[in-house]
Amino acid sequence: MPVYSMTGYASGQNGPVGSQSEAEARPAAAGRLGVEIRSVNSRFLDLTFKLPEELRQHETALRELLTGKLKRGKVEVRAAIENTAQGGIVEPSVKLLQRLNGVQDGIKAWLPSARDLSVADVLRLAGGDGATRGDWGSDLLNVAGKALDALMSARQREGARLAKMLEAHLGQLRTLVEQAGPLIPQLVEQQRARFLERWQEAMGLTGGTLPEAAQDRALTEATAFAIRIDVAEELTRLNSHLDEIERLLKKGGEIGKRLDFLIQELHREANTLGSKSAALELTRIGVDMKVLIEQMREQVQNIE
């Protein structure tokens, strides 16, 4: 499966209806419907809809459409209907005029003092809620579906770019681990020798040899100290985490949360390596590792 980013943008729109017969059947189609979908990173799936009143009833259907493909991210959906009639005026159909006339007669039968509809009232109703409500359901889902497909493609392209950057960082981290590996035996032996030398100075026996018991104690403490500065275990765990990250990137799908956890583990091991470091070269390697891991953290936060 591909790796998806949580960041993306897509839009779509339909065209106005061309034939007079179709326009009479659906007066609302004398406009153009546009849909925009924006998404950024988030721990969970957070959907926000900004719809005009005539489209509000379709929010549930839109939500089902999006949750079928999106798993994480803060997603905003905007939709609007643009009036494309000539001069901005929607010409009412005969069917609509008949309906308005019947409604007006019914109202005046109960309210004789009610004023007659003006031309402005008729035009407003032809281009407003009375003409558009309930007419955009199929168009809305169709346009939103195409915009969602475009969004998924954009998120996939961005996810592929992020995966490629993460793989490059993995290679750099593996190089640093390989550089640190040969330093460990040398550092351990240097620390053992240094510890014995300081022990001899403390005992005031620089010209002779230590008693056997004292020498055994010095070796024991030198060994314990060498164990404390040995970072071989940290390097092994670093390699293990790098292998798992590489496996997840190849697997794809919903891997963002797992990657975020592994990045935390990488950071912990790099911190431990730095705190145990007894040589300038190993300290430099630890710092370089933490810089790379922080860059990986920023990239992983955008992966679904």
Side-chain angles (χ1 to χ4, degrees):
M1 293 181 64
V3 175
Y4 288 100
S5 168
M6 286 186 282
T7 303
Y9 170 83
S11 63
Q13 63 180 20
N14 69 342
V17 171
S19 67
Q20 179 64 24
S21 60
E22 190 176 358
E24 289 180 357
R26 292 177 51 203
R32 179 180 288 113
L33 172 67
V35 176
E36 290 184 344
I37 308 178
R38 305 171 186 269
S39 68
V40 295
N41 61 314
S42 176
R43 292 184 61 191
F44 308 101
L45 181 59
D46 181 10
L47 301 178
T48 302
F49 297 90
K50 297 188 177 180
L51 309 173
E53 191 61 34
E54 57 265 37
L55 301 179
R56 185 68 61 185
Q57 60 184 314
H58 305 297
E59 181 176 322
T60 300
L62 282 175
R63 187 176 296 274
E64 292 177 357
L65 178 67
L66 268 66
T67 54
K69 291 189 175 181
L70 302 176
K71 305 304 178 185
R72 291 179 66 201
K74 183 176 178 61
V75 182
E76 179 183 278
V77 180
R78 290 176 177 266
I81 299 174
E82 177 188 359
N83 187 354
T84 58
Q86 186 175 4
I89 299 176
V90 177
E91 182 178 352
S93 65
V94 174
K95 183 178 178 180
L96 176 62
L97 291 174
Q98 290 173 342
R99 288 178 56 195
L100 291 176
N101 188 53
V103 170
Q104 177 177 255
D105 290 344
I107 292 175
K108 296 197 71 173
W110 289 95
L111 301 172
S113 60
R115 69 178 180 83
D116 293 337
L117 287 171
S118 66
V119 174
D121 293 333
V122 173
L123 291 175
R124 177 175 56 80
L125 291 171
D129 290 347
T132 61
R133 183 176 291 116
D135 292 337
W136 289 101
S138 60
D139 283 344
L140 177 62
L141 293 180
N142 182 47
V143 174
K146 293 178 179 178
L148 179 57
D149 289 341
L151 177 71
M152 295 299 294
S153 297
R155 285 167 56 129
Q156 182 178 343
R157 290 193 298 272
E158 178 64 13
R161 188 183 69 84
L162 291 174
K164 187 174 181 180
M165 294 174 66
L166 287 171
E167 289 170 353
H169 289 331
L170 288 177
Q172 293 175 292
L173 283 172
R174 290 189 189 281
T175 299
L176 291 174
V177 171
E178 291 174 358
Q179 292 175 359
L183 297 176
I184 297 172
Q186 302 174 18
L187 292 174
V188 171
E189 186 58 35
Q190 289 175 6
Q191 290 301 320
R192 284 168 60 91
R194 190 177 304 167
F195 193 91
L196 285 173
E197 181 181 349
R198 290 178 179 176
W199 181 274
Q200 290 175 341
E201 291 176 356
M203 295 290 294
L205 299 174
T206 54
T209 60
L210 288 170
E212 185 176 353
Q215 189 170 1
D216 289 343
R217 181 180 175 185
L219 288 172
T220 300
E221 295 197 16
T223 301
F225 182 74
I227 292 174
R228 287 198 298 273
I229 66 169
D230 188 356
V231 294
E233 186 176 349
E234 282 73 17
L235 295 180
T236 299
R237 285 198 292 264
L238 278 168
N239 269 324
S240 176
H241 296 327
L242 295 177
D243 290 341
E244 180 64 9
I245 291 174
E246 185 175 8
R247 185 189 71 81
L248 289 173
L249 290 175
K250 291 179 179 178
K251 174 187 175 184
E254 301 170 42
I255 59 174
K257 291 183 179 180
R258 179 65 178 169
L259 286 176
D260 189 55
F261 170 76
L262 290 170
I263 292 298
Q264 294 179 34
E265 294 300 304
L266 283 178
H267 202 274
R268 181 180 293 111
E269 301 303 337
N271 275 335
T272 304
L273 185 146
S275 65
K276 284 186 172 184
S277 175
L280 183 61
E281 181 63 16
L282 201 56
T283 299
R284 181 195 64 78
I285 290 175
V287 171
D288 289 345
M289 281 183 176
K290 286 191 281 188
V291 171
L292 287 171
I293 292 169
E294 189 58 34
Q295 292 173 353
M296 293 176 69
R297 184 200 301 276
E298 295 176 0
Q299 293 153 6
V300 163
Q301 287 176 350
N302 282 320
I303 293 179
E304 186 177 60

